[in-house]
Amino acid sequence: MITSAHYDYIILGSGLSGLMLAYRLSQDSYFQNKDILLLDRENKNNNDRTWCFWREGKSEWDKVISKKWKTIVVKDEVHEENINLGDYTYNKIEAIDFYSYCLNELTKVSNITIREEKVIGFRESENAVSVKTEMADYTAQKVFTSILPAERLEEQTHSQVLQQHFIGWDIEVKTPVFDPQKATFMDFSVAQKGNTRFMYVLPVSQTRALIEYTLFSEKVLPDSEYETAIKHFIAELGINDYTIKATEKGSIPMTAYPFERHNTKNIMHIGTAGGFTRGSTGFTFNYTDKITLRLVDFLKKDRDFRLFKMKNRFRWYDRLFLDVLYRKNEMGSSIFMTMFRKNKIRNILRFLDGESTLPEEVQLISSLPKKQFLIALFKEGSKG
């Protein structure tokens, strides 16, 4: 039997953006009388990914951060930079810890309902949104969806799209080999093969680390190519005996596409589907953290979702950067190495977080290979 019910807000998807939004609503007394439904087709009980972000000082999410680093390493075949982060830390959150914490907090409030149901579709009428699942028909005043239709990026011609794609192995070794005080942010010493390729190493102890083979490129690879690269990298570290404790795999779209153009009066796209991922880096956690805070304030005015602004000058920077990487994918290693070698780490992190000042941004961009960025700048200018 198909049931029906009405809510003030329905959130489609209980990933990072959906759960964080629901959590923020649950913590704000303004929404305590709002009926909220969180829908996902599956229970979030798997440690299916890792989120990392940098933060100056303490973080609201310290309770679920599993590891912090004060030093990051960037390197290629010639240079190695060990960079002290100063007042910042680089932080790691296991997805299962985030899911468990948020879901536990949500069960403490009576106005939020969590259901495991597959969404069939949703449709907006003049004053409400209807949501159909395999088990029920719902309506809501406002709907937030993290569902990204595959064709949305495939069919558009507005923005170039690369993928940040990776496979990672969480390995444990018998002999101490890792330095748990340093996170290898980008190791470009691996063969580039005409792309931007690097190893990403997050050691949590002397005998355990997450090692990811990551690419910024247009097309994903067969799983065997990532795995072969990881095996070779592990062997180069002098490791012969190890156990794979867990694996992760992902592909994150890198684009400056204006996802918010698909928002309507009562439907808002969130997460990657809403542009919550930084186009030039693929980092998502910090952006989601800040955007959901803004969104909660916005909801208190109950305004048209088309008025919620996402565009800023950092998207324009992303367009320039992605244009260079799209045309000259092999230049990624030199661009990133130059950026880290010629700029203060604080300015880099502020820029990547969208918090830098215009003078800091001019200085950072001017330190990068000028020819290709001037070409990208000319192309942007020619678009009018």
Side-chain angles (χ1 to χ4, degrees), residues 70-73 81-88 345-346 349:
K70 290 289 294 179
T71 301
I72 62 170
V73 179
E81 303 291 327
N82 288 259
I83 303 170
N84 185 290
L85 296 180
D87 294 331
Y88 285 82
I345 188 61
R346 177 179 173 81
L349 299 183

Side-chain angles (χ1 to χ4, degrees), residues 58-122:
K58 291 185 177 181
S59 167
E60 175 186 0
W61 303 103
D62 276 351
K63 56 186 72 70
V64 292
I65 292 174
S66 61
K67 177 66 177 177
K68 295 185 177 185
W69 295 271
K70 290 289 294 179
T71 301
I72 62 170
V73 179
V74 292
K75 62 185 294 189
D76 58 17
E77 292 181 322
V78 179
H79 301 100
E80 178 174 330
E81 303 291 327
N82 288 259
I83 303 170
N84 185 290
L85 296 180
D87 294 331
Y88 285 82
T89 54
Y90 191 57
N91 310 296
K92 176 188 177 188
I93 292 179
E94 304 284 351
I96 190 62
D97 295 332
F98 178 82
Y99 297 151
S100 299
Y101 174 75
C102 289
L103 289 169
N104 182 62
E105 291 299 308
L106 293 178
T107 60
K108 297 177 182 178
V109 294
S110 60
N111 63 314
I112 295 182
T113 303
I114 303 171
R115 290 186 178 157
E116 293 175 40
E117 298 178 19
K118 182 179 179 180
V119 175
I120 303 300
F122 52 91

Side-chain angles (χ1 to χ4, degrees), residues 14-235:
S14 57
L16 173 62
S17 60
L19 267 182
M20 190 177 286
L21 176 58
Y23 169 78
R24 293 213 183 284
L25 295 174
S26 75
Q27 300 298 301
D28 193 315
S29 60
Y30 178 89
F31 300 96
Q32 64 184 2
N33 294 320
K34 300 289 186 180
D35 291 320
I36 302 167
L37 174 63
L38 179 61
L39 287 172
D40 199 294
R41 63 183 178 181
E42 58 187 11
N43 189 359
K44 292 297 182 181
N45 56 7
N46 293 317
N47 194 30
D48 55 359
R49 65 197 66 207
T50 300
W51 292 298
C52 287
F53 65 101
W54 41 83
R55 186 61 55 91
E56 187 175 20
K58 291 185 177 181
S59 167
E60 175 186 0
W61 303 103
D62 276 351
K63 56 186 72 70
V64 292
I65 292 174
S66 61
K67 177 66 177 177
K68 295 185 177 185
W69 295 271
K70 290 289 294 179
T71 301
I72 62 170
V73 179
V74 292
K75 62 185 294 189
D76 58 17
E77 292 181 322
V78 179
H79 301 100
E80 178 174 330
E81 303 291 327
N82 288 259
I83 303 170
N84 185 290
L85 296 180
D87 294 331
Y88 285 82
T89 54
Y90 191 57
N91 310 296
K92 176 188 177 188
I93 292 179
E94 304 284 351
I96 190 62
D97 295 332
F98 178 82
Y99 297 151
S100 299
Y101 174 75
C102 289
L103 289 169
N104 182 62
E105 291 299 308
L106 293 178
T107 60
K108 297 177 182 178
V109 294
S110 60
N111 63 314
I112 295 182
T113 303
I114 303 171
R115 290 186 178 157
E116 293 175 40
E117 298 178 19
K118 182 179 179 180
V119 175
I120 303 300
F122 52 91
R123 181 172 56 86
E124 183 175 16
S125 59
E126 185 175 351
N127 296 311
V129 183
S130 58
V131 176
K132 184 176 183 59
T133 74
E134 290 180 327
M135 302 173 63
D137 292 326
Y138 303 107
T139 57
Q141 295 301 312
K142 302 284 185 182
V143 166
F144 307 89
T145 174
S146 59
I147 300 170
L148 176 60
E151 65 273 11
R152 180 151 296 167
L153 291 177
E154 294 171 358
E155 295 177 357
Q156 60 86 30
T157 58
H158 182 277
S159 300
Q160 292 157 332
V161 181
L162 295 175
Q163 297 291 325
Q164 179 182 155
H165 46 109
F166 56 87
I167 285 182
W169 288 358
D170 178 2
I171 70 168
E172 188 170 50
V173 300
K174 294 181 178 179
T175 303
V177 66
F178 301 113
D179 184 348
Q181 304 306 313
K182 298 180 181 180
T184 299
F185 194 66
M186 289 177 158
D187 184 345
F188 293 108
S189 64
V190 298
Q192 297 297 286
K193 300 181 181 180
N195 300 129
T196 299
R197 305 183 181 212
F198 59 93
M199 286 293 178
Y200 179 57
V201 184
L202 301 179
V204 297
S205 72
Q206 291 182 316
T207 56
R208 189 161 179 174
L210 173 65
I211 299 176
E212 284 191 351
Y213 184 51
T214 305
L215 288 81
F216 295 167
S217 65
E218 192 173 1
K219 298 185 183 300
V220 299
L221 308 174
D223 286 3
S224 59
E225 190 163 344
Y226 304 90
E227 293 163 353
T228 297
I230 295 173
K231 290 176 184 177
H232 179 74
F233 183 80
I234 291 173

Side-chain angles (χ1 to χ4, degrees), residues 262-280:
H262 299 283
N263 293 342
T264 66
K265 179 181 178 182
N266 298 310
I267 299 174
M268 181 172 181
H269 295 77
I270 59 175
T272 298
F276 288 19
T277 297
R278 181 71 191 267
S280 58

